Amino acid sequence: MTAGALYIVSTPIGNLGDISQRALDTLAAVDLVLAEDTRRSGRLLGHYGIRTPLMALHEHNERALVDKLSKRLQAGEQMALISDAGTPLISDPGFLLVRELTQQGARVVPIPGPSAVICALSVAGLPTDRFVFEGFLPARAQARETRLQELSRETRTLVFYEAPHRALDTLQALAKVFGPERLATVMRELTKAYETLRHGELQVLSTWLHEEPAQQRGEFVIVVAGAPVEEAEGDEAVRETLQLLLEELPLSRAVDLAVRLSGEKRNRIYRIALALQQSS
Ligand code: SAM
């Protein structure tokens, strides 16, 4: 290793076998490991017999640490950054530090490995040639629905991370805004003992999760098919018509007329009208 580098090291998202030899060698060789939760990462390093000192770097102290850490790197120290699971910076801390070091021209070295987004896409059975990673949706219902409305005409496959206590609400909101028939795959506890994968229409998936509270635990990735291209284009025309109608008529009347004008299904027109009304 040359002096003064920050190694961004991916660690397992569940199965401890999923760590690379290069990750282990790097974590053992650096002067310091920066970790979100030092107790948790201490156990991980201990499992592999690594005794490198740890320092906490998390969303609450990262900003304050950036200068100090960049000076230590300039002085020749070698450090690794890990997060609680998967790849640092992917819905995890590290961006502020990496941005600063990159702007300074310092050495930032990736040691790639697991990340739940790629792991989920690889088995979701939905197109992977283009995708959008949305991370966590807003926690509050209204903000979440607004964000989903903004995304409802996205034609690329969409990937969402979700906390267990919000997974059902999010699936219900997805079915409401994207339509009950849009295909998706719900993945839970990837690479762990209770790994679960369920593929189907959003409404069916939401009913399944509602009826099986035992499945509402653990870590979730939800991968959703993009909107069909014709539908996204058709929506634009329907939106323009609805926009005009809604200026003059109550919602149900505007929807009736738009259905007659476009020949589209009523529930789709109704969904678009609702979204328009809520965003105006
Ligand atoms: N940096 C991580 C990565 O590279 O995937 C993500 C960290 S983010 C704080 C944690 C979220 O990632 C979880 O809420 C869940 O949505 C997803 N996740 C992480 N591990 C997972 C697993 N084993 N199975 C399913 N989802 C997982």
Side-chain angles (χ1 to χ4, degrees):
M1 278 182 191
T2 51
L6 176 71
Y7 295 84
I8 307 298
V9 181
S10 301
T11 57
I13 58 167
N15 189 319
L16 292 182
D18 293 336
I19 195 158
S20 72
Q21 189 57 52
R22 192 164 167 239
L24 292 175
D25 293 346
T26 304
L27 292 171
V30 291
D31 303 303
L32 181 68
V33 174
L34 304 166
E36 237 186 314
D37 176 343
T38 49
R39 272 176 49 191
R40 189 173 165 153
S41 293
R43 285 198 296 274
L44 179 83
L45 297 193
H47 176 85
Y48 303 111
I50 295 171
R51 289 184 188 76
T52 310
L54 284 153
M55 181 197 268
L57 183 140
H58 43 67
E59 57 175 332
H60 305 294
N61 72 352
E62 182 177 356
R63 190 171 295 279
L65 280 180
V66 166
D67 270 358
K68 191 169 140 198
L69 291 172
S70 76
K71 287 200 177 84
R72 287 176 64 167
L73 280 154
Q74 279 166 15
E77 266 190 74
Q78 294 170 51
M79 299 179 195
L81 173 68
I82 59 176
S83 58
D84 284 352
T87 301
L89 280 85
I90 305 301
S91 295
D92 266 337
F95 169 64
L96 299 179
L97 180 60
V98 170
R99 179 176 62 182
E100 174 64 23
L101 296 178
T102 307
Q103 284 171 359
Q104 287 176 11
R107 274 192 82 211
V108 183
V109 185
I111 310 288
S115 186
V117 46
I118 300 299
C119 178
L121 276 167
S122 72
V123 291
L126 291 166
T128 50
D129 48 348
R130 285 186 173 78
F131 63 88
V132 191
F133 175 58
E134 273 294 313
F136 292 96
L137 283 163
R140 293 190 25 228
Q142 185 56 54
R144 181 171 53 216
E145 215 170 295
T146 303
R147 182 76 196 116
L148 289 178
Q149 273 155 11
E150 288 161 5
L151 292 168
S152 65
R153 287 179 297 144
E154 172 59 64
T155 53
R156 293 167 291 185
T157 297
L158 299 114
V159 186
F160 300 96
Y161 279 175
E162 199 45 280
H165 58 285
R166 289 201 201 103
L168 179 58
D169 285 349
T170 292
L171 270 179
Q172 288 172 341
L174 281 164
K176 181 177 165 197
V177 181
F178 288 6
E181 288 158 17
R182 183 90 72 95
L183 286 176
T185 307
V186 176
M187 279 150 286
R188 203 186 131 245
E189 296 289 84
L190 287 161
T191 77
K192 302 187 203 177
Y194 294 102
E195 181 177 85
T196 310
L197 186 154
R198 196 91 177 190
H199 176 75
E201 294 179 353
L202 280 168
Q203 188 57 55
V204 176
L205 291 172
S206 142
T207 306
W208 160 72
L209 202 60
H210 178 66
E211 286 170 357
E212 299 214 25
Q215 296 282 348
Q216 294 173 30
R217 299 196 198 114
E219 303 196 273
F220 282 83
V221 183
I222 303 172
V223 180
V224 186
V229 177
E230 330 74 68
E231 191 175 301
E233 282 166 359
D235 277 6
E236 199 47 56
V238 169
R239 282 165 75 88
E240 280 169 19
T241 309
L242 272 170
Q243 195 101 48
L244 287 174
L245 291 170
L246 282 168
E247 282 170 20
E248 306 294 333
L249 298 167
L251 183 88
S252 63
R253 189 81 191 99
V255 169
D256 286 345
L257 281 178
V259 170
R260 282 167 61 191
L261 286 167
S262 66
E264 296 282 349
K265 282 188 185 154
R266 193 174 199 284
N267 60 359
R268 199 159 82 82
I269 302 287
Y270 186 69
R271 237 182 16 253
I272 299 170
L274 264 187
L276 278 174
Q277 206 176 48
Q278 282 170 10
S279 63
S280 65

